[in-house]
Amino acid sequence: MKWMAGFTKFWAYVSFGLVCGVILFLFGYVFYRGAGTISVEFLTEAPKGLVLGEEGGIFPAIIGSLFFTGTAVVLGGIPALASALYLVFYCQNKKVERLLHLVIQCISGIPSIVLGLFAYSFLVRDLNLGRCILSAGTALAIMILPFIEVRAEKAFREIPACMIQSSYALGCSRFYTITRIILPACRGELVSGIILGGCYAMGATAPMIFTGAVAYAAVPESLLSPAMALPLHLYLLLAQGATSMDTAYGTAFVMMAIILISNMLATIYARRSQKKWKRS
Amino acid sequence: MRRKLNLLFSLFIYILTALAVLVLGFVIYFIVKEALPLFSEVSVGEFLLGTRWMPIAYTGSVSFGIFNFIAATVYVSFTAMVLAVGVGLGASVFLSCVATDRMRGILYPFVDLLAGIPSVIYGFIGLSVLVKIFLKAGVHTGSCVLAAGILLAVMLLPFLVASCSETMLKEREKYEAAADALGISRWYAVATIILPASFKNILLSMILAIGRAMGETMAVMMVMGNSNLFPRLLGKSESIASVIALEMGTAVYGSTHYHALYGAGLVLMILLFLINIIINLVRSRMVQE
Amino acid sequence: MEEIMTLKHTSVSYDGKPVLKDVSMGIRKNRIMAVMGPSGCGKTTLLRSLNGLLWEEPGAKVTGEVLLHGKNIKEMSTEEVRRQVGLVFQTPSPFPFSIYKNMSYALKYYGIRDKNKMDRIVKEKLQMAGLYEEVKEELGKSALKLSGGQKQRLCIARALTVEPDILLLDEPCSALDVRSTAVIEGMLARLKETYTIVIVTHNIAQAKRIADDAAFVFEGRLVEYGEAGKLFEHPQKEETKSFLEGIYG
């Protein structure tokens, strides 16, 4: 049976090498092909030319993506933190807790395209908001709600129970305990969860195709106007054929750079607050 | 004052938590509401089992059958999971049984990068690399189910690796001392103790991964060719999510076509809820054991 | 002698499983009462029922009365009860910020804004806990960097900042070495002039060293309680005797 040990070892090393190779390839490929397109003009100008993306830059798409992401983070992040706090510090009933977990799991199971359908029917049509940042942002918010909730809940549960009870034992309220101890102690994990949630929202295309993102628009002025978004811009450039491949690679470069930087920031933040109290 | 603040805050928390629950209800309500009118024109059986999808009467009559789309969604997700699981498990073994704590601190965020890459970029790279390879290999136009399966497999890797390596790490901590005491070599212990012990959790992660894959839209849509055919590995096909994303923009509000797209969304959502409920049941069973 | 706290037929159950059965006893002012018993006998639960901390725990159900200065604590506000009954846990649990902020945490909550007054209280309570001399130069240092014994004394000092009448201690020395334990025991002997102390311990030697009164809890029942000297010399019940002889370890 010695071959099993050898085989497992071989398999583990090869698999992990493969995973690393894929990651390096994906980033390397996009950065290599896109680097030529990146310039100050590309980042700060609007698209020009007869065909989309033939000339000019992607500035409105960058700003548009920031608007979509910001809306999603605010609308999705706050209820996510609230339900995580509820589950850890308020909920006294095991059944309610289990139910809430199931609900959150189900929300995370809703495909993003279906969230787009929901936002279209409810916000774009029934509430008559039209295709706008708010409509699409709401769909994205629902998408990232469970994502942030799970991370926040995990961070809250890692705080030692006796620390929380020490605060209660001094007569301090939950509100005071949460704002003075819990949130500061988990700040790193929370910030990192929100950054990653934001990235997730920024990269999603499906929920915004028919709810707020458009092929061409100026820099948005309010949440009730439609806007361009990086992922949809990239998709449209590809869908129209091979005319604007350089712009496509440039757009992909920008998105990958944002992802890479955000992930690094998130890792650093998460590490900074990691279990200071566990050292002893 | 401080008592009022506390009360206000509790209220705030309760309301927002209730909101999160309501959101689920809202989504279900609106999808069902928009899907229902369809079934006064098309029977459920016809919708689920029909293979003709002809939303606009160019030639002949309209017809709404999504069987091929359902089949494609399930087929591509299984393909992806099968492709991902071998590599994913191997990498999990590496992370949980080879890497030191410090290495894990770097490697986990590194592997997580895969989860951060937007699906449209996966689709883009799929188009400009995978599809070209398939084209050279003789697949007509290069777009095919296998290309989508490979892309999806890469997208599933970080989730599989995260959950599997966590399980394996726990199992390893449980058995390591005993295995060492018996003088069993590490790799033999991995193969004969840790992997079998993690089996149930790995299975759960696999089901969860299929769920994730089924909901994926952009990457699949960009490389699968999008034609209403029963899925074959090297043939074109179209997933439920792709149909919705492609046709929602042109469907006339309130038309049967529009309702049919919501119907397709409903089917997809129900499939995913079923998966999540199964996972939940199995998991609570496991906890009880 | 004045009874500052009285338990009348107090029972506690978790999810229907009884943990504490019909306990009645009095806690006397300015004395140290040691509650002893083997681990898992319910002595920690007993302690937690005294300041309403069990109300925070899902599934815990308390029946009977706990009287504080003759008043049922269920009729008082949570804040009022906990302000008068301080509690320090087994594991030293300083908050993850500076020593000074640990000390001023509850003061700020109770609305003390005057910096001078706050400084004075912080200093006074740290002195009471015998920690001031060791940390006076570095009050801004993270409390997590203190040694185990120092952390525990900080927690005691922190509990004192809200001016409780009673201080409950849940095996405060079980995580500490012999020297830190001796320091804390010395401190408790001084503190009883101002406060009433209830200390849970499974360490008989420790109870003998510091206690004025002693109680023995076994399998959720209060077996006997009274003056420490009498209880140690002439235990009335067979179970107490066995425990003191070290049979339940």
Side-chain angles (χ1 to χ4, degrees):
Chain A
M1 292 296 269
K2 227 178 163 167
W3 65 271
M4 265 177 87
F7 171 75
T8 314
K9 186 176 181 182
F10 175 75
W11 175 41
Y13 277 90
V14 169
S15 303
F16 192 72
L18 200 62
V19 172
C20 290
V22 168
I23 297 169
L24 293 176
F25 170 76
L26 290 171
F27 279 90
Y29 181 78
V30 171
F31 285 149
Y32 174 71
R33 296 292 294 264
T37 317
I38 300 299
S39 66
V40 178
E41 290 78 43
F42 183 72
L43 295 176
T44 57
E45 279 180 12
K48 285 184 205 127
L50 286 174
V51 180
L52 182 68
E54 210 176 22
E55 288 168 54
I58 54 166
F59 184 65
I62 297 178
I63 301 301
S65 270
L66 285 181
F67 269 82
F68 284 115
T69 308
T71 313
V73 165
V74 172
L75 291 182
I78 294 172
L81 292 186
S83 30
L85 286 173
Y86 175 78
L87 275 168
V88 181
F89 300 107
Y90 286 84
C91 188
Q92 302 262 23
N93 187 325
K94 278 263 149 52
K95 272 188 192 143
V96 174
E97 188 182 326
R98 225 177 299 153
L99 183 75
L100 212 56
H101 275 137
L102 184 66
V103 166
I104 286 160
Q105 202 192 336
C106 279
I107 295 179
S108 82
I110 303 174
S112 60
I113 187 79
V114 172
L115 290 176
L117 286 178
F118 159 72
Y120 184 78
S121 162
F122 179 45
L123 298 163
V124 177
R125 286 293 174 168
D126 282 11
L127 291 185
N128 215 3
L129 291 175
R131 296 172 83 182
C132 65
I133 295 174
L134 188 61
S135 302
T138 308
L140 294 172
I142 301 173
M143 188 180 83
I144 63 174
L145 190 152
F147 183 93
I148 298 179
E149 195 282 334
V150 168
R151 280 162 179 74
E153 193 184 328
K154 186 162 176 250
F156 293 150
R157 291 211 192 271
E158 271 171 9
I159 294 184
C162 62
M163 201 146 93
I164 298 157
Q165 290 183 340
S166 291
S167 175
Y168 292 165
L170 289 165
C172 296
S173 64
R174 280 184 166 71
F175 171 65
Y176 193 76
T177 311
I178 287 168
T179 49
R180 294 302 172 105
I181 299 179
I182 314 288
L183 293 182
C186 298
R187 194 172 47 212
E189 282 106 324
L190 296 182
V191 170
S192 115
I194 287 168
I195 290 177
L196 290 177
C199 275
Y200 183 28
M202 191 210 75
T205 322
M208 54 164 73
I209 303 179
F210 35 84
T211 55
V214 291
Y216 183 79
V219 170
E221 275 162 8
S222 84
L223 291 183
L224 293 176
S225 53
M228 291 178 75
L230 287 170
L232 186 70
H233 186 64
L234 176 59
Y235 173 68
L236 293 174
L237 289 174
L238 295 169
Q240 70 187 16
T243 48
S244 328
M245 281 315 268
D246 284 344
T247 325
Y249 278 115
T251 310
F253 183 105
V254 172
M255 287 173 75
M256 288 292 253
I258 294 175
I259 298 298
L260 192 62
I261 294 169
S262 311
N263 269 273
M264 271 151 83
L265 276 180
T267 309
I268 293 168
Y269 262 108
R271 195 150 307 166
R272 204 193 267 172
S273 79
Q274 226 167 34
K275 293 126 214 154
K276 304 179 264 264
W277 50 80
K278 278 199 182 156
R279 230 179 281 152
S280 56
Chain B
M1 174 64 196
R2 59 177 181 257
R3 215 165 282 168
K4 266 186 197 152
L5 215 61
N6 186 40
L7 211 68
L8 213 66
F9 184 72
S10 312
L11 207 66
F12 178 73
I13 296 276
Y14 287 132
I15 290 174
L16 282 172
T17 308
L19 186 75
V21 177
L22 277 182
V23 157
L24 182 66
F26 257 87
V27 174
I28 297 174
Y29 169 74
F30 274 92
I31 302 298
V32 170
K33 180 192 109 178
E34 298 283 12
L36 275 185
L38 171 76
F39 298 110
S40 60
E41 291 177 41
V42 184
S43 76
V44 178
E46 213 179 311
F47 183 63
L48 292 178
L49 299 175
T51 55
R52 226 176 121 248
W53 174 263
M54 205 55 76
I56 299 159
Y58 291 123
T59 53
S61 59
V62 294
S63 166
F64 299 94
I66 60 166
F67 181 73
N68 282 341
F69 304 143
I70 299 176
T73 304
V74 175
Y75 189 97
V76 77
S77 306
F78 265 93
T79 313
M81 202 271 297
V82 169
L83 290 174
V85 86
V87 178
L89 278 186
S92 307
V93 170
F94 182 90
L95 277 171
S96 56
C97 302
V98 180
T100 59
D101 269 332
R102 266 188 82 178
M103 277 163 78
R104 265 193 290 277
I106 301 163
L107 292 178
Y108 269 130
F110 183 65
V111 174
D112 256 355
L113 277 176
L114 280 180
I117 299 176
S119 68
V120 68
I121 296 214
Y122 279 107
F124 179 32
I125 295 175
L127 264 184
S128 49
V129 180
L130 272 180
V131 167
K132 281 188 183 145
I133 294 174
F134 278 108
L135 190 62
K136 268 190 195 139
V139 177
H140 180 62
T141 73
S143 299
C144 61
V145 174
L146 184 59
I150 294 173
L151 278 189
L152 272 179
V154 178
M155 297 173 78
L156 295 182
L157 274 177
F159 301 102
L160 272 177
V161 169
S163 60
C164 292
S165 61
E166 195 186 327
T167 315
M168 290 183 195
L169 204 60
K170 271 187 207 142
E171 296 299 336
R172 185 189 137 190
E173 276 160 10
K174 237 194 284 179
Y175 296 116
E176 193 168 44
D180 280 352
L182 290 171
I184 298 173
S185 90
R186 182 170 60 173
W187 287 106
Y188 190 74
V190 170
T192 55
I193 302 171
I194 295 175
L195 276 175
S198 320
F199 179 72
K200 273 188 191 163
N201 275 306
I202 292 171
L203 210 62
L204 269 187
S205 316
M206 281 160 62
I207 302 174
L208 201 64
I210 290 179
R212 275 188 174 282
M214 295 207 313
E216 183 46 52
T217 315
M218 297 310 285
V220 174
M221 176 169 113
M222 288 163 83
V223 298
M224 210 157 77
N226 302 323
S227 34
N228 179 14
L229 296 169
F230 190 81
R232 280 181 308 111
L233 219 46
L234 292 178
K236 289 179 184 169
S237 197
E238 187 167 4
S239 74
I240 300 177
S242 310
V243 183
I244 300 171
L246 285 169
E247 298 185 6
M248 195 55 200
T250 53
V252 179
Y253 178 67
S255 66
T256 315
H257 185 197
Y258 173 87
H259 294 307
L261 291 176
Y262 274 87
L266 180 63
V267 170
L268 185 58
M269 192 166 71
I270 290 174
L271 275 175
L272 280 158
F273 283 163
L274 284 180
I275 288 183
N276 276 298
I277 289 169
I278 290 172
I279 289 174
N280 224 288
L281 285 180
V282 177
R283 205 177 269 156
S284 58
R285 254 255 185 95
M286 272 163 68
V287 171
Q288 274 169 19
E289 276 173 26
Chain C
M1 219 175 297
E2 190 189 343
E3 272 186 12
I4 194 163
M5 251 192 143
T6 316
L7 286 99
K8 282 188 180 165
H9 306 292
T10 304
S11 298
V12 181
S13 63
Y14 280 101
D15 297 320
K17 212 180 82 192
V19 182
L20 210 58
K21 298 164 206 161
D22 195 28
V23 171
S24 299
M25 68 186 237
I27 294 160
R28 294 189 290 177
K29 202 167 185 248
N30 292 91
R31 293 168 73 90
I32 297 180
M33 166 175 275
V35 179
M36 297 174 297
S39 50
C41 69
K43 51 194 194 307
T44 296
T45 307
L46 171 66
L47 209 59
R48 287 173 172 232
S49 67
L50 293 179
N51 79 337
L53 209 62
L54 288 175
W55 302 336
E56 308 292 342
E57 291 178 32
K61 198 165 165 273
V62 190
T63 55
E65 287 178 10
V66 178
L67 304 177
L68 175 59
H69 294 301
K71 214 169 142 196
N72 191 335
I73 61 167
K74 275 184 187 159
E75 284 150 21
M76 301 162 72
S77 78
T78 312
E79 202 173 288
E80 219 178 316
V81 175
R82 301 211 178 128
R83 219 178 152 162
Q84 290 178 44
V85 186
L87 176 57
V88 174
F89 294 91
Q90 185 171 7
T91 348
S93 45
F95 301 139
F97 25 73
S98 73
I99 298 172
Y100 189 87
K101 274 184 84 181
N102 261 280
M103 294 297 291
S104 61
Y105 176 82
L107 295 173
K108 280 186 188 150
Y109 179 73
Y110 291 110
I112 293 171
R113 292 278 174 273
D114 180 9
K115 182 83 172 101
N116 289 329
K117 191 174 175 196
M118 192 136 56
D119 284 348
R120 211 190 58 236
I121 299 175
V122 169
K123 184 177 169 186
E124 182 191 314
K125 301 304 171 193
L126 282 174
Q127 277 172 335
M128 279 184 158
L131 191 61
Y132 187 69
E133 290 306 316
E134 291 165 50
V135 299
K136 65 179 174 189
E137 301 298 330
E138 38 185 17
L139 290 175
K141 188 170 94 168
S142 166
L144 299 172
K145 290 192 178 129
L146 295 172
S147 75
Q150 287 177 322
K151 274 182 192 163
Q152 197 58 298
R153 277 180 285 153
L154 176 67
C155 291
I156 294 172
R158 187 178 66 193
L160 296 179
T161 56
V162 298
E163 291 296 350
D165 296 332
I166 306 177
L167 188 61
L168 310 175
L169 301 151
D170 188 0
E171 305 208 24
C173 302
S174 67
L176 304 180
D177 59 59
V178 183
R179 256 187 62 197
S180 303
T181 304
V183 173
I184 288 185
E185 284 175 6
M187 175 188 95
L188 292 179
R190 273 180 282 122
L191 285 179
K192 77 171 175 190
E193 287 164 20
T194 331
Y195 307 96
T196 306
I197 294 170
V198 180
I199 179 169
V200 158
T201 179
H202 62 248
N203 181 337
I204 300 165
Q206 180 174 55
K208 277 185 182 159
R209 282 196 297 271
I210 58 174
D212 303 310
D213 296 320
F216 174 60
V217 182
F218 186 66
E219 288 176 342
R221 286 172 297 111
L222 176 65
V223 177
E224 66 174 295
Y225 79 106
E227 295 253 345
K230 266 196 216 152
L231 189 130
F232 287 123
E233 295 305 322
H234 309 288
Q236 302 294 310
K237 300 277 168 58
E238 213 39 51
E239 286 150 325
T240 318
K241 208 185 246 169
S242 318
F243 176 74
L244 292 175
E245 284 162 1
I247 285 175
Y248 304 120

